Amino acid sequence: MGYLIETIYFLTAVVFIVGLKRMSHPTTARSGIVWAGYGMVLATLFSFAHPQIQAGPGNYFLMVVAIAIGGVIAWWGAKKVEMTAMPQMIAIYNGMGGGAAAAIAAVELLKDHSGGGPETHVLIMAVAGALIGAVAFSGSVIAFGKLQELKFFKDDAKFRFTGQQKFNAAVFGAAIVLGLVIALSHSSNGALISVFFLLALAFGAMMALPIGGADMPVVISLFNAFTGLAVALEGFVLGNSAMIIAGIIVGSSGTLLTLMMAKAMNRSVSNVLFSNWAALASGEAQAVTGSLKAMEPPDAAIQMAYASKVIIVPGYGMAVAQAQHKIWEMCKLLIERDVDVKFAIHPVAGRMPGHMNVLLAEAGVPYDLIFDMDEINEEFSTADVALVIGANDVVNPAARTDKSSPIYGMPILNVDYAKNVQVIKRGKGVGFAGIENALFFADNTRMVYGDAQKVTAGLIQGIKDLG
Amino acid sequence: MEAVVSFFSPIYILMLAAILGYEIIGKVPVILHTPLMSGTNFVHGIVLVGAMVALGQAETPWSKPSVSWPYCWAPVMRSAATSSPNGCWKCSRAARVRRSKSWVI
């Protein structure tokens, strides 16, 4: 039986790798997840016959019940989730994975080790996995709360206090010391282990609390890598190769993804985690001169209809308003009138890397009209109209010039170089980073106020009226 | 000697898997970052297997509530996470390349 199980785990690892490889290309991405799904089903089914499971039918009953409860909740949740809520969902499920790894570690640590338990290095790995998993769990829960925009997490500043980094470091240090004590003394003292877990959970929460919502994608990606690592470490403890391989692949790919995302914001990961963004912003920002000039949708429609080149810059506002279908409808009308239409995507537009691309693809926008920042930034100076839909910080020219601005140095889309700029925006509020946008006050900028979907409907009508 | 080999073989697995993960994800287009995050999320759902083994080893889960709660918790949470491919599926379905030029009216 042991050989059979190990063979199945081996096949699972192969299928996971093939699946991930396929997931990394747009045309094969869907089949990739199906591959990985088969691997998961196979591994789960055969694990019921795992030789280490020696307990009675009561345990099988518990297993089935637990899987059924989790499966139903998740199936229902994933079925209901909107595309805009995808980041939160990934955050919370990711946290669950970290929590599960930590729970396995708790089980291993709480076992009675008096009769020749596992070796010290195994216990150290269990403790390390527990620490990383618990941090990923509590941190992801906080990240979920922030992305869901729960009221409690609305104000990042109230979670900041002086000496916070030192305090967090002290908590983290205490958790490590306690973990080492547990591992080296082969202790299965419940109280000691509980305090260790509480410290680890507290550190995860406190680490995530002061981080601004705009930075959350990077943080979630980091926690994803953490969870992978925790799973791999628990795989060591249980002697389960499938867990080691799957966990560490996720750990390394998650790390790479995190670095790519941080690079897109032109910040280092430690800068994202440990610098208090809002605290920085309290410095004197350059005064924004000029006034906001409003424009009605019919006028905006005329401007675009007679343009020869229009570049559209979508942001989180488009995702919230679910305006992507209407926008594509408008683009088709413009293309009919021989207008050159292109989409420009900033690497951190929305709340996730690739967030905008996914939404546009969902609406049916062809791949070859969508351009990354590097590909299109030169073209703004030749565009007649740049249409900004619910994007803010990623088009703020202050990032280029204003050294006191918290987003200084972040590469931005050169929207302000276009001959005319139209900005569709719900109100006069500031972006996620909480700073005023000089672009909106520029002479060539017109503001089209309203919900993105309604405004776009107005634009479509305006273009149609021209005949 | 055998003990040394058995100590090192998981470390080799770890090293190779880490390089593999890095290489697989290395050249991913931005459009797939969100689905991929969901997908890797799904892959570490393999922890479910570990949770099942851990639960299976419990001797008297009913009589020791303090010990049994993590036993139950782990599979519940993990099967929740395992179902996240649904999200990944949604994303990647949306991200599918539409190569046909039929959109040009």
Side-chain angles (χ1 to χ4, degrees):
Chain A
M1 207 59 199
Y3 274 101
L4 177 65
I5 298 281
E6 286 307 316
T7 312
I8 295 296
Y9 285 170
F10 179 77
L11 288 176
T12 304
V14 173
V15 168
F16 275 172
I17 291 166
V18 174
L20 265 182
K21 181 73 205 161
R22 294 183 75 85
M23 264 187 254
S24 60
H25 195 278
T27 41
T28 54
R30 285 216 299 167
S31 69
I33 193 73
V34 174
W35 274 77
Y38 285 137
M40 190 69 77
V41 170
L42 205 65
T44 310
L45 284 181
F46 278 87
S47 291
F48 277 108
H50 199 285
Q52 281 175 335
I53 300 178
Q54 292 146 343
N59 292 32
Y60 282 107
F61 175 71
L62 277 180
M63 262 184 243
V64 173
V65 168
I67 291 172
I69 294 174
V72 166
I73 293 174
W75 180 79
W76 182 74
K79 194 107 183 147
K80 263 189 58 172
V81 72
E82 297 285 335
M83 287 298 288
T84 43
M86 205 56 84
Q88 294 90 299
M89 198 189 74
I90 293 178
I92 197 73
Y93 283 157
N94 178 35
M96 293 297 157
I104 292 175
V107 170
E108 292 302 316
L109 292 173
L110 283 169
K111 270 184 193 162
D112 189 9
H113 301 316
S114 51
E119 289 174 61
T120 308
H121 73 262
V122 174
L123 282 175
I124 289 178
M125 292 205 185
V127 165
L131 184 62
I132 296 168
V135 167
F137 172 65
S138 57
S140 294
V141 170
I142 302 291
F144 170 80
K146 289 197 169 216
L147 286 168
Q148 190 73 23
E149 300 191 337
L150 298 179
K151 249 203 175 116
F152 179 73
F153 300 108
K154 208 77 183 158
D155 181 18
D156 299 327
K158 79 176 169 196
F159 300 115
R160 298 195 177 100
F161 53 89
T162 40
Q164 190 165 21
Q165 304 306 343
K166 280 176 194 149
F167 185 74
N168 286 3
V171 172
F172 187 57
I176 289 179
V177 169
L178 205 57
L180 280 176
V181 168
I182 291 168
L184 296 178
S185 69
H186 290 237
S187 161
S188 55
N189 181 332
L192 208 59
I193 293 171
S194 302
V195 173
F196 164 71
F197 273 99
L198 281 178
L199 283 173
L201 288 171
F203 174 72
M206 289 192 310
M207 180 177 142
L209 268 175
I211 298 172
D215 288 339
M216 269 305 146
V218 180
V219 177
I220 295 174
S221 180
L222 185 70
F223 284 144
N224 191 24
F226 275 14
T227 302
L229 199 55
V231 170
L233 286 166
E234 297 317 318
F236 268 113
V237 175
L238 296 174
N240 189 320
S241 305
M243 277 171 74
I244 299 177
I245 294 172
I248 211 69
I249 286 179
V250 173
S252 69
S253 63
T255 307
L256 182 61
L257 207 54
T258 311
L259 292 173
M260 282 160 81
M261 288 159 74
K263 201 176 145 212
M265 299 169 81
N266 201 22
R267 300 170 67 198
S268 68
V269 175
S270 67
N271 181 280
V272 170
L273 292 178
F274 302 121
S275 81
N276 292 347
W277 225 15
L280 257 167
S282 64
E284 279 167 57
Q286 273 175 18
V288 177
T289 53
S291 60
L292 293 166
K293 294 162 283 290
M295 191 188 215
E296 290 303 312
D299 300 327
I302 292 170
Q303 199 174 51
M304 279 193 284
Y306 291 107
S308 57
K309 186 172 189 177
V310 173
I311 299 178
I312 298 175
V313 181
Y316 189 62
M318 181 189 82
V320 173
Q322 289 288 305
Q324 63 272 22
H325 296 275
K326 280 265 181 277
I327 287 166
W328 177 226
E329 200 184 324
M330 181 192 79
C331 292
K332 282 192 280 197
L333 288 173
L334 289 173
I335 292 167
E336 236 176 301
R337 300 182 67 100
D338 283 329
V339 180
D340 184 10
V341 179
K342 285 177 177 171
F343 287 86
I345 312 286
H346 191 275
V348 293
R351 296 284 158 82
M352 277 286 196
H355 199 169
M356 292 300 125
N357 307 59
V358 169
L359 290 174
L360 291 176
E362 186 204 4
V365 179
Y367 216 34
D368 47 4
L369 290 188
I370 302 174
F371 295 89
D372 288 341
M373 181 170 68
D374 298 338
E375 295 171 327
I376 203 161
N377 242 353
E378 297 290 313
E379 288 190 38
F380 277 102
S381 51
T382 63
D384 299 301
V385 179
L387 176 65
V388 178
I389 304 167
N392 196 341
D393 298 324
V394 297
V395 293
N396 191 345
R400 254 188 253 127
T401 54
D402 184 356
K403 279 193 180 144
S404 64
S405 173
I407 58 168
Y408 178 72
M410 181 172 92
I412 58 158
L413 289 163
N414 296 328
V415 171
D416 53 331
Y417 294 169
K419 290 192 193 78
N420 297 286
V421 181
Q422 297 177 4
V423 179
I424 300 178
K425 203 164 172 299
R426 257 181 308 179
K428 294 179 180 170
V430 291
F432 219 103
I435 38 182
E436 206 64 79
N437 193 336
L439 173 76
F440 301 163
F441 295 88
D443 289 336
N444 58 341
T445 303
R446 294 291 176 275
M447 307 297 290
V448 190
Y449 289 115
D451 171 79
Q453 190 161 166
K454 291 206 187 92
V455 170
T456 317
L459 292 173
I460 292 171
Q461 195 53 48
I463 298 169
K464 278 185 180 159
D465 286 347
L466 294 172
Chain B
M1 189 59 202
E2 208 164 293
V4 177
V5 171
S6 68
F7 177 80
F8 269 98
S9 57
I11 295 175
Y12 276 98
I13 293 178
L14 187 131
M15 181 269 293
L16 290 171
I19 293 173
L20 194 63
Y22 197 89
E23 286 300 316
I24 290 175
I25 306 302
K27 293 178 194 80
V28 175
V30 175
I31 186 170
L32 283 174
H33 281 178
T34 301
L36 201 71
M37 207 133 112
S38 194
T40 51
N41 210 335
F42 169 59
V43 166
H44 66 58
I46 191 70
V47 74
L48 172 63
V49 167
M52 287 168 69
V53 173
L55 176 56
Q57 288 171 337
E59 281 156 21
T60 49
W62 303 102
S63 60
K64 268 200 227 164
S66 64
V67 182
S68 71
W69 72 264
Y71 285 110
C72 306
W73 200 41
V76 169
M77 297 219 296
R78 199 52 254 188
S79 44
T82 312
S83 299
S84 68
N86 208 334
C88 179
W89 176 271
K90 267 192 188 177
C91 285
S92 55
R93 184 175 53 198
R96 197 173 28 176
V97 180
R98 291 152 205 263
R99 287 190 186 282
S100 76
K101 297 275 176 181
S102 58
W103 53 271
V104 182
I105 306 148

